[in-house]
Amino acid sequence: MEKWNRDFRTKIDSWPADISISHADGLLCMGSCFAEHIGAKLVARKFKTLVNPSGILYNPLSLTQTLGWIAEGHRFEDADVFEWQGSGTVIITTVAFRLWIGTSCWRA
């Protein structure tokens, strides 16, 4: 009978990356709570890091649109934002949100 492998981890060969970051670089972390956690660790280590400037984004369409807005220097108008049902939560109307409100699951 074969002996059990007592090394309870997956060994992965690694090598130096072709790029590196330093404290002189500006970093942007966007996405889900994973981006929040990684961004917090970078900030704690004194890296110049902007973490989810438009809030947590969960899908590729919202990430793509937000990166486009940043690249274009987009300025929001009153028509782009609204308060969600008097809750104090402000929503920026993204393409994904506009598609969602066009479905039958929308309940205003």
Side-chain angles (χ1 to χ4, degrees):
M1 186 161 94
E2 197 174 315
K3 289 187 177 183
W4 285 88
N5 180 354
R6 298 202 184 264
D7 192 5
F8 294 110
R9 63 189 173 110
T10 302
K11 292 183 181 178
I12 300 173
D13 293 331
S14 63
W15 53 92
D18 292 337
I19 63 170
S20 63
I21 59 172
S22 74
H23 287 86
D25 297 316
L27 305 173
L28 171 64
C29 294
M30 291 179 68
S32 66
C33 56
F34 179 76
E36 296 272 325
H37 291 289
I38 296 299
K41 297 222 179 266
L42 290 165
V43 168
R45 286 160 179 79
K46 308 298 182 200
F47 282 92
K48 295 184 291 186
T49 308
L50 183 58
V51 181
N52 280 334
S54 57
I56 293 177
L57 302 171
Y58 292 102
N59 62 74
L61 184 59
S62 295
L63 277 165
T64 301
Q65 186 172 41
T66 302
L67 285 169
W69 286 334
I70 292 169
E72 295 166 2
H74 181 78
R75 296 186 60 84
F76 292 99
E77 305 293 329
D78 289 344
D80 294 325
V81 298
F82 67 93
E83 184 179 355
W84 179 257
Q85 298 180 344
S87 66
T89 300
V90 174
I91 296 188
I92 298 171
T93 57
T94 65
V95 169
F97 185 79
R98 290 183 188 126
L99 291 172
W100 178 64
I101 63 172
T103 66
S104 61
C105 66
W106 170 251
R107 301 288 184 260

